[in-house]
Every structure is written in C-alpha cells, then in structure tokens.
Amino acid sequence: MALTGCRPERGNGYDGHAFVANEEGSAVAAVNLTAFAVTRHIRIDGKPTKVISSPTRDAVFALAGNAIHEIDPSKLAFRRKSALPDRKSTR
C-alpha cells in the first residue's frame, strides 16, 4: 500500500534570524529562520515592546521603557544600552 500526501513540499527556510520582543521574558528572542526555532533568548534590562534592525549597521535595536538596547545580530548578544530622555523634561 502506498501513501501520498497533499501537502506542498516544505521550503528550506531563510538563512538568518528574526528578532522578536518577548516582553514577559524581558528578552529578545532570536529565531532561526532555517529551523524555525528559537536559537537564543537575549536578556535585556526591561520589557521590550518593539524591535527594529538598522538598515546601515549590523545592529538590532529593542525599545524597553525609557531605553534602547542594541543587539549584535552576528553574535546574538547584547551590545549596549542607551537611556532616552524623560518625556516630561523635554517639554
């Protein structure tokens, strides 16, 4: 007896990572897009709400509270933190 499936052939994925804000875990998850699995949780000080990548530098930035955390996407590691000015003091 032969069995066949109707499912389309699975793709090979993409050689790279997606970075996802994990607010509850106080981390940024680096997801391997070839394996579709979390490679590393990168801990940061605070609860990240947004993540963006730089179009000109090898860097990923996570916004957490009043700080921006820079992540090295090659090493999947925290690089540095920069505090943002208090919104009340800039008015």
Side-chain angles (χ1 to χ4, degrees):
M1 172 184 350
L3 297 175
T4 60
C6 308
R7 192 175 121 206
E9 187 175 318
R10 190 171 182 165
N12 295 334
Y14 175 79
D15 186 26
H17 287 86
F19 294 88
V20 181
N22 179 353
E23 191 172 358
E24 288 185 22
S26 297
V28 173
V31 180
N32 180 308
L33 296 177
T34 301
F36 299 104
V38 174
T39 302
R40 180 168 296 155
H41 280 95
I42 304 163
R43 298 267 176 225
I44 63 171
D45 182 26
K47 296 178 182 247
T49 55
K50 294 182 175 35
V51 177
I52 60 169
S53 63
S54 171
T56 58
R57 297 180 44 203
D58 189 26
V60 173
F61 300 98
L63 176 64
N66 280 353
I68 296 177
H69 298 77
E70 184 177 343
I71 295 169
D72 182 328
S74 300
K75 296 179 182 176
L76 302 180
F78 172 80
R79 206 181 263 160
R80 64 183 155 200
K81 172 182 169 181
S82 297
L84 296 173
D86 185 16
R87 289 182 184 170
K88 294 176 186 173
S89 66
T90 59
R91 291 182 186 186

